Amino acid sequence: MFIEPIILSFIVAKLRGGRIRHIEQIDIKGWYLFIFAAIIQFLISLIKGIDIDTGTELLNKYFIYFHAFTYLLLIIGIALNIRANSMKLFLIGIILNLIVILFNGGQMPVSLEGIKGINNYVELPERQFDIKHNSITKDTKLAFLADIIVIPKPYPLPKIISVGDIFIMTGVFLFFQEAMVKENLKRKA
């Protein structure tokens, strides 16, 4: 989900006179919160994937709280850097994804019809290791915020994303624009 906006943003920033070395000068407050959230999400998937008896049982029972906690860490990290326009877009995307996740038992609903459009088969319901996603059913709440937007082939990286993901991807694009080009604009002024 992040590859395309990063590559596109690098290209656009270079065309605008941006410099990669400016990225080193970015001061992200609370950066460790983003890493901590990513580690917890990785561990959640790992514990579920290797099916540790005690860990899986505990994880299943309290999954929604673990998952929501990682989003809370992300929101706090974003709030610490909210002056940047990219962070405002991140915040909108994260909150939209969190809302639909909380309304659906801690999992992001995914359109099976959309997956068929990408891979010509449906595998998701049988994927026990993917604790963070579930299929959209008639009982799904706020399905319009779920993963329903299909980007099919011939796009080289076909996928299915949510409205929140669009905000996050736009935020990623803007983040590198702000990091690489903004310094040039300050120097010219």
Side-chain angles (χ1 to χ4, degrees), residues 32-184:
Y32 48 87
L33 295 171
F34 299 106
I35 294 173
F36 192 44
I39 289 171
I40 292 173
Q41 288 219 2
F42 172 76
L43 290 176
I44 288 172
S45 295
L46 182 68
I47 290 170
K48 183 68 177 174
I50 58 177
D51 201 22
I52 301 171
D53 288 339
T54 306
T56 303
E57 184 180 323
L58 184 69
L59 189 60
N60 288 336
K61 188 172 181 180
Y62 298 107
F63 173 72
I64 190 169
Y65 302 108
F66 288 122
H67 203 188
F69 179 67
T70 63
Y71 274 79
L72 179 63
L73 292 175
L74 293 174
I75 289 170
I76 292 170
I78 292 168
L80 293 173
N81 299 282
I82 200 65
R83 286 186 173 196
N85 289 327
S86 58
M87 292 296 168
K88 292 170 185 153
L89 292 171
F90 285 143
L91 184 61
I92 293 169
I94 293 290
I95 288 174
L96 290 176
N97 284 347
L98 177 60
I99 288 170
V100 69
I101 286 170
L102 289 179
F103 271 86
N104 292 285
Q107 295 176 307
M108 172 58 89
V110 179
S111 167
L112 293 181
E113 290 301 313
I115 292 176
K116 286 178 186 174
I118 294 173
N119 294 328
N120 296 326
Y121 66 91
V122 177
E123 185 183 351
L124 188 65
E126 290 78 30
R127 289 173 53 187
Q128 297 300 314
F129 61 88
D130 192 352
I131 192 171
K132 296 183 285 185
H133 296 89
N134 204 345
S135 61
I136 290 179
T137 66
K138 62 180 175 51
D139 297 324
T140 299
K141 297 173 181 72
L142 304 174
F144 64 96
L145 292 176
D147 283 346
I148 57 170
I149 301 167
V150 179
I151 305 174
K153 292 180 179 179
Y155 184 71
L157 300 171
K159 63 185 80 217
I160 185 164
I161 61 175
S162 68
V163 172
D165 292 340
I166 292 173
F167 279 97
I168 293 169
M169 293 169 76
T170 307
V172 169
F173 177 86
L174 189 58
F175 175 81
F176 286 101
Q177 293 298 302
E178 291 171 341
M180 293 174 66
V181 179
K182 207 168 186 176
E183 289 295 320
N184 287 349

